[in-house]
Amino acid sequence: MINTGDTLLCTAGNTFFATGNTYVVGDFVNDKYFQVLTGYNDEHWYATLNNEKIYVHFDSATAVYDDAWFDCMTNKRSMDNKRSA
């Protein structure tokens, strides 16, 4: 489960999200869709959470963009801490 304010690591980027950069989870629309903040003013994209996979899908009539994929770093640290306890 991810929460507002969690940090996401971009594992497969595209024109809009750089691989290796981190982004912050914004507000949730529902249990499946939420905002990924880009760090520029209030700009954001909507991400999908599907079976613990996080991605931003890009669909354009004029250009083809790869989806951007993310891993939640906050949850990984929480899980690593539980394993070591």
Side-chain angles (χ1 to χ4, degrees):
M1 174 83 181
I2 62 172
N3 300 297
T4 299
D6 283 353
T7 302
L8 302 177
L9 173 67
C10 183
T11 57
N14 59 20
T15 302
F16 306 100
F17 292 99
T19 300
N21 281 6
T22 58
Y23 300 89
V24 176
V25 174
D27 293 332
F28 278 77
V29 175
N30 57 36
D31 61 344
K32 187 175 178 179
Y33 300 103
F34 60 92
Q35 297 174 343
V36 175
L37 307 177
T38 63
Y40 301 106
N41 297 323
D42 291 331
E43 196 173 302
H44 62 271
W45 291 89
Y46 287 99
T48 302
L49 176 62
N50 186 359
N51 295 329
E52 293 305 315
K53 295 180 183 175
I54 302 166
Y55 63 95
V56 175
H57 177 71
F58 294 86
D59 191 14
S60 171
T62 58
V64 176
Y65 299 104
D66 292 330
D67 292 345
W69 293 86
F70 302 88
D71 190 15
C72 185
M73 295 173 62
T74 306
N75 278 348
K76 259 193 175 201
R77 280 195 297 263
S78 297
M79 291 178 78
D80 289 343
N81 288 339
K82 286 179 186 175
R83 286 185 197 134
S84 64

